[in-house]
Amino acid sequence: MSPNPLFESLFSNSSSTDSQRNAESPASPGSLVSGAADKRWPRFTSVFWRACCVGCFVALLLYPTVMFLSEVNSNSDIGFRGEFGNETSIIDAASWSLRTSYHFRPEKNWMNDPNGPVFYKGFYHFFYQYNPYGAAWGDIVWGHAVSRDMIQWVHLDIALVPDKWYDVQGVWSGSITVGDDGIPIILYTGSSYSAEQTQNIAYPEDPSDPLLRKWVKDHENPVLRHPRGIDFKDFRDPTTAWKDADGYWLMTVGAKMEKTGLALLYKSVDLKHWELQNNVLHAVLGTGMWECVDFYPVPVQGHHGLDTYIAAPTMKYVLKASLDDDKHDYYALGSYDTVKKTFHPDDTARDTGIGLRYDYGKFYASKSFFDPEKQRRILWGWVNESDSLVADIAKGWASVQAIPRSVWFDSKTMSNLIQEPIEEVKTLRGTRVTQRDVKLAPGDVVEVTGAVGGQLDIELVFDYPYMTNPAQYAQNRDHYDCNQGGAAYRGVFGPFGLLVLADEYLQEQTAVFFYVSYSRYHNKWTTKFCSDQTRSSLWPDVDTTVYGSFVEVLPSEDFLSLRVLVDGSIVESFAQGGRVVITSRVYPTIAADQNARLYLFNNATTAINVRNIDAWQMSSVPLRTI
């Protein structure tokens, strides 16, 4: 893509924040209140303020620690320019060692769902749920940023604010559809005075502006209200609309009826006046409320994306729903009937909400879009915190977005998607450390010398363990559960993998690893992929869940591959070329910045061979606003 003079001038003239880490700053203190913010909290109440008072009391208990952390950076000039003026707010030094440096985030406060990603007039636009007033959910607006490569971002003014009766309690999630005239249209959910969820439209005030800085709400809003049989609080998050084979526009809105998750179907001729169809696109019993529904095609062959919904034998369709009940994103692969306007999963046992997940860690409310510039499908996802609300408020920010991922159909397994960090991430790679043919004896923990710091991009390939007689290992745990001992459990062929964000004495470490066992039930070797946070932080008030899933390894594959992106407090791990992904949030107190080290480990009772490991130092991305 050739340079855009307008965008280059934005980068050179905009205010910027240096997001390089302060290597001497320790992490922020934990708190005594557990739990993470839910995206559908009610507005602040007296109960919340009482909780804040408790938080203040906790803060007083932690005052000596906070004062120490403040003194560490007492001479620092780091600060932020506020969105609504030129005031400067100094963020406590404790928050800096945990802030991400190349993952998308606003400069402060709360963020959740990705909204309306679109490519328009040479720019990638990204919108997101945002609270401009604090680090907890509430007062939700649409934040807005633009980029040339989805890595370097310029943050613009807020795009949508809650200023109408139908969205006064928040402009919630939605999508952008580019109409036949080439003009993008926002479809979003509003929460009214009575907390009724309504569907609404906004247009760019000046479609010739490539930055789309001003948006105007339609005077006929709300264009949709909840249909009969659907509760007024269970009707939200319209999808990107698509032009179907019959020439009509279609879109879905997430809902539920009792315990059945639904993708309601609407038809329009003009993207403004919508008619509820008699059928639903799809529904699955027992899955509860479907939020942030997504529906798109993928070709059976190749890595390119598609922006058409015409059914063909060379296409698969993906129907994804974010389940409000368990806060995970599930998808199913299947076909689309253009006559009946219905989705049919290939495997009902792996239907939406009960089968495959995009990510087996912290990843929710995802949103995909077709990138016409590079002909690819891109997936965004919200990664919430794993510390407490009190800690988030103390540090002044909460949540990041996962690295945008390219998505395509796995033509080898024919049963899942492949996810891979967008290729532009590699532009941030700096110094590389490489090792080849590393032999890991049972119990080995070997440092990858030179791979230091809290910002790394790691690629690793293991030889698949050599097995002779399956019966010899029949007593090896058939269905190893990542939670049953985590990385500390010892089996014949696992666990083995990486320790990231680890200090030199291994007091803190986040383990990302494989475990191979012989399944008598399936009569074959099976591989588990896990991420163990149990020793990731010395602070007691963080979630240390161990995440994991089976990953399919084909008989033709004599290796296990792993790519891990490490960025301060986020670890994104892609196994076997992206067949399974796990995202973790971790909060190291001593294994941060230049104190963070990288290790290979083998806790199996059998030797493991590392074919190769490459680890790159990753550059920070300055945070720019105009």
Side-chain angles (χ1 to χ4, degrees):
M1 186 189 302
S2 60
N4 185 305
L6 175 59
F7 198 66
E8 298 303 324
S9 68
L10 286 178
F11 276 146
S12 61
N13 295 330
S14 62
S15 62
S16 65
T17 299
D18 179 11
S19 39
Q20 291 285 345
R21 309 304 184 103
N22 182 335
E24 303 301 323
S25 299
S28 58
S31 64
L32 304 179
V33 182
S34 62
D38 182 85
K39 72 173 256 186
R40 302 299 182 196
W41 286 350
R43 292 176 65 83
F44 294 129
T45 64
S46 59
V47 174
F48 175 80
W49 291 115
R50 292 189 188 103
C52 287
C53 291
V54 174
C56 291
F57 176 71
V58 172
L60 288 174
L61 292 177
L62 295 174
Y63 179 78
T65 302
V66 173
M67 287 304 297
F68 166 74
L69 295 171
S70 299
E71 289 169 5
V72 170
N73 261 18
S74 60
N75 296 320
S76 173
D77 292 325
I78 295 172
F80 288 129
R81 181 175 61 81
E83 293 98 328
F84 306 107
N86 293 321
E87 70 274 16
T88 298
S89 60
I90 304 300
I91 305 301
D92 187 271
S95 72
W96 279 92
S97 64
L98 301 178
R99 291 181 74 92
T100 59
S101 290
Y102 60 90
H103 284 72
F104 181 92
R105 56 172 174 81
E107 58 185 16
K108 58 181 178 180
N109 299 331
W110 167 273
M111 173 179 64
N112 54 291
D113 303 4
N115 294 152
V118 68
F119 184 81
Y120 184 70
K121 292 186 180 296
F123 294 92
Y124 292 103
H125 291 257
F126 183 68
F127 302 85
Y128 54 95
Q129 298 281 277
Y130 179 57
N131 179 1
Y133 305 115
W137 190 90
D139 300 299
I140 294 297
V141 304
W142 270 39
H144 183 197
V146 293
S147 175
R148 289 293 307 277
D149 59 4
M150 288 185 283
I151 299 296
Q152 306 277 349
W153 291 92
V154 172
H155 291 255
L156 306 178
D157 289 340
I158 289 168
L160 294 175
V161 298
D163 59 358
K164 306 296 182 183
W165 69 266
Y166 51 79
D167 65 11
V168 71
Q169 293 202 73
V171 286
W172 289 358
S173 290
S175 307
I176 285 184
T177 298
V178 178
D180 291 327
D181 56 3
I183 298 175
I185 298 173
I186 289 177
L187 290 146
Y188 74 94
T189 296
S191 180
S192 74
Y193 279 115
S194 62
E196 176 190 357
Q197 293 167 12
T198 65
Q199 311 313 316
N200 308 282
I201 292 175
Y203 309 94
E205 184 178 81
D206 179 8
S208 67
D209 176 13
L211 301 184
L212 297 173
R213 283 170 285 198
K214 301 293 183 181
W215 292 83
V216 179
K217 297 175 184 178
D218 193 279
H219 69 279
E220 293 186 26
N221 282 343
V223 297
L224 284 176
R225 303 179 77 167
H226 66 100
R228 181 176 298 177
I230 301 297
D231 189 271
F232 69 97
K233 291 185 178 180
D234 295 329
F235 178 59
R236 55 183 176 267
D237 308 337
T239 66
T240 301
W242 67 93
K243 198 72 167 287
D244 212 50
D246 56 12
Y248 286 98
W249 290 99
L250 295 174
M251 75 164 178
T252 68
V253 179
K256 74 172 180 178
M257 186 173 290
E258 295 183 348
K259 292 185 179 296
T260 298
L262 307 171
L264 300 174
L265 190 64
Y266 288 86
K267 181 173 72 174
S268 175
V269 296
D270 59 1
L271 289 173
K272 179 177 178 180
H273 301 93
W274 295 92
E275 178 184 352
L276 178 65
Q277 302 303 284
N278 291 328
N279 62 290
V280 297
L281 178 67
H282 196 52
V284 179
L285 292 170
T287 53
M289 178 65 200
W290 282 13
E291 298 187 305
C292 304
V293 175
D294 204 1
F295 183 57
Y296 59 89
V298 289
V300 174
Q301 296 293 332
H303 295 180
H304 61 284
L306 296 170
D307 195 28
T308 176
Y309 286 74
I310 299 174
T314 57
M315 294 186 195
K316 288 287 184 182
Y317 281 80
V318 178
L319 178 61
K320 183 243 55 177
S322 301
L323 299 197
D324 191 32
D325 286 354
D326 70 5
K327 296 297 184 292
H328 295 308
D329 278 18
Y330 294 83
Y331 74 90
L333 289 162
S335 58
Y336 173 55
D337 187 326
T338 58
V339 176
K340 296 181 179 179
K341 316 298 186 191
T342 52
F343 170 79
H344 301 278
D346 290 342
D347 182 354
T348 56
R350 302 208 301 179
D351 206 345
T352 305
I354 59 176
L356 296 167
R357 282 169 50 182
Y358 277 151
D359 194 299
Y360 290 84
K362 292 195 73 76
F363 185 90
Y364 191 65
S366 60
K367 178 65 186 173
S368 76
F369 79 105
F370 174 68
D371 173 15
E373 183 69 10
K374 294 193 174 181
Q375 298 293 304
R376 56 187 174 173
R377 172 68 52 174
I378 301 296
L379 178 69
W380 285 89
W382 168 42
V383 183
N384 197 1
E385 302 295 323
S386 291
D387 60 358
S388 68
L389 171 61
V390 172
D392 291 344
I393 292 173
K395 70 191 182 202
W397 58 277
S399 303
V400 300
Q401 298 292 330
I403 285 292
R405 303 171 182 176
S406 296
V407 178
W408 64 86
F409 181 68
D410 189 343
S411 59
K412 294 180 180 179
T413 65
M414 302 292 289
S415 61
N416 57 268
L417 293 174
I418 292 290
Q419 300 172 69
E420 182 180 85
I422 57 172
E423 60 186 27
E424 289 87 344
V425 174
K426 294 180 180 179
T427 63
L428 298 175
R429 286 176 171 178
T431 304
R432 180 177 71 173
V433 172
T434 300
Q435 294 185 15
R436 299 286 182 268
D437 295 320
V438 181
K439 310 297 182 183
L440 296 177
D444 268 357
V445 178
V446 178
E447 183 173 2
V448 182
T449 306
V452 176
Q455 297 167 221
L456 297 174
D457 185 354
I458 308 158
E459 293 185 357
L460 172 66
V461 178
F462 291 100
D463 284 331
Y464 198 82
Y466 177 72
M467 297 90 166
T468 53
N469 180 12
Q472 177 183 354
Y473 308 109
Q475 292 185 353
N476 194 27
R477 188 174 298 191
D478 279 354
H479 298 288
Y480 170 75
D481 188 335
C482 295
N483 279 294
Q484 295 177 353
Y489 179 81
R490 298 205 73 178
V492 179
F493 299 117
F496 58 90
L498 289 174
L499 301 179
V500 302
L501 294 173
D503 68 280
E504 61 178 323
Y505 301 111
L506 300 180
Q507 298 173 84
E508 292 182 330
Q509 56 181 265
T510 297
V512 182
F513 62 90
F514 294 101
Y515 185 97
V516 182
S517 62
Y518 184 76
S519 172
R520 287 167 292 182
Y521 178 79
H522 294 98
N523 194 31
K524 66 177 184 179
W525 294 99
T526 59
T527 303
K528 204 72 178 285
F529 176 54
C530 313
S531 180
D532 182 355
Q533 287 75 240
T534 55
R535 298 181 64 187
S536 62
S537 177
L538 295 179
W539 290 116
D541 193 21
V542 295
D543 180 6
T544 55
T545 300
V546 181
Y547 304 122
S549 174
F550 286 102
V551 58
E552 185 167 359
V553 181
L554 300 177
S556 60
E557 296 172 340
D558 63 352
F559 62 89
L560 293 171
S561 70
L562 179 60
R563 184 175 179 188
V564 181
L565 298 178
V566 180
D567 189 8
S569 60
I570 185 171
V571 179
E572 292 185 78
S573 305
F574 301 78
Q576 214 61 7
R579 281 187 194 142
V580 173
V581 186
I582 298 176
T583 298
S584 304
R585 295 304 304 277
V586 296
Y587 304 90
T589 62
I590 52 178
D593 299 313
Q594 296 307 303
N595 293 322
R597 287 170 167 79
L598 176 66
Y599 295 87
L600 293 162
F601 83 94
N602 176 24
N603 210 30
T605 59
T606 303
I608 299 294
N609 186 63
V610 179
R611 285 189 190 178
N612 57 271
I613 180 171
D614 295 278
W616 290 265
Q617 301 286 342
M618 296 292 277
S619 299
S620 296
V621 176
L623 199 154
R624 300 177 170 96
T625 62
I626 60 172

